[in-house]
Amino acid sequence: MLPSPVGLENFTETGKKVIGAGLNYRSFAASEKLPLPDEPIIFLKATSSYSRLGEDLQVSATDQVNAEVELGVVIGRPCRRVSEERAGDYVGGYCLALDMTNITLLQRLRAASGPWALAKAFDSACPVSRFIPKEALPEPQNARLWMNVNGQVMQDDSTSGMIFPIARLVSYISHFMTLEPGDVILTGTPAGPCPLHPGDTVECGLGSLVSARFTVTHQQ
């Protein structure tokens, strides 16, 4: 395993892309009664949607906005058309993330056969933790992801439940677009995404390695 490249601690400022993988957990597909995809389902979020886990999270008071806890993969080296076998060499580290989705808007866009961007890339739609060097998470495909809302367990699963593991995602995406240092791949969410409302208290974590607690407020 190559060591984490230096300079990735400020990945939210230096990275150019946030790439999401949709429908990438078996438990989520089962809970929604959806067939498993044959290939990764990929979408983009704007880097302007970054916020810090632990800060107050603003959501719409009228639309349904869901929170999805995810493992984020931070790219460490320029990566183009790499094999799955070599994909790990291009991972610089990880972060804990929430993929926020405006479900009300998403349903309206889907009904019109429109793209997902506005429902996925709004301001504060991607809260992330500090950078986690990959040496600190030696088994990223066997890590616990969890989220509690108002003290109730909503999500609690292992990254082993991914349909397409990290190496597959990195390789697949790199065959379409060059991945650059600081770019983040959101690797999908397990069963249990739930709507957040102003006044909610949310806790989430990646095993015991990193966790965050924050309050949901009205969107300004």
Side-chain angles (χ1 to χ4, degrees):
M1 178 186 295
L2 295 175
S4 295
V6 298
L8 293 179
E9 293 82 2
N10 297 320
F11 67 92
T12 57
E13 300 173 13
T14 59
K16 297 178 182 178
K17 299 183 287 298
V18 183
I19 304 150
L23 191 59
N24 196 36
Y25 272 77
R26 293 179 182 85
S27 63
F28 181 82
S31 69
E32 298 293 319
K33 297 181 172 58
L34 295 171
L36 301 185
D38 295 324
E39 293 185 330
I41 300 171
I42 301 301
F43 61 91
L44 295 174
K45 295 172 79 83
T47 55
S48 58
S49 67
Y50 277 132
S51 63
R52 281 292 176 186
L53 277 174
E55 297 177 353
D56 285 354
L57 182 64
Q58 296 184 3
V59 301
S60 169
T62 55
D63 290 353
Q64 178 182 336
V65 179
N66 280 15
E68 308 169 6
V69 67
E70 309 205 3
L71 174 66
V73 174
V74 183
I75 298 299
R77 295 174 174 81
C79 175
R80 182 175 183 271
R81 301 183 68 84
V82 301
S83 66
E84 291 184 45
E85 292 73 22
R86 293 196 58 204
D89 293 340
Y90 296 86
V91 174
Y94 306 94
C95 66
L96 174 66
L98 290 182
D99 177 13
M100 306 296 296
T101 304
N102 186 318
I103 298 297
T104 304
L105 181 55
L106 179 65
Q107 291 174 342
R108 190 160 72 241
L109 292 169
R110 282 177 169 168
S113 300
W116 299 359
L118 296 180
K120 283 286 192 178
F122 54 91
D123 288 350
S124 80
C126 190
V128 292
S129 71
R130 61 173 175 82
F131 174 72
I132 302 168
K134 66 178 180 179
E135 298 85 0
L137 188 63
E139 296 185 76
Q141 291 295 169
N142 188 29
R144 179 187 173 215
L145 283 173
W146 57 272
M147 181 176 71
N148 302 337
V149 179
N150 299 328
Q152 181 178 354
V153 177
M154 305 304 298
Q155 294 185 281
D156 195 341
D157 208 334
S158 169
T159 55
S160 63
M162 289 183 193
I163 299 168
F164 304 106
I166 293 166
R168 170 69 169 143
L169 293 176
V170 172
S171 175
Y172 182 83
I173 295 167
S174 77
H175 279 74
F176 292 88
M177 64 183 82
T178 299
L179 297 171
E180 301 167 284
D183 287 353
V184 171
I185 298 173
L186 303 177
T187 55
T189 197
C194 63
L196 297 185
H197 306 94
D200 285 345
T201 298
V202 181
E203 297 174 284
C204 58
L206 176 62
S208 59
L209 189 60
V210 62
S211 62
R213 184 177 188 273
F214 54 95
T215 300
V216 181
T217 63
H218 287 281
Q219 189 175 49
Q220 300 299 314

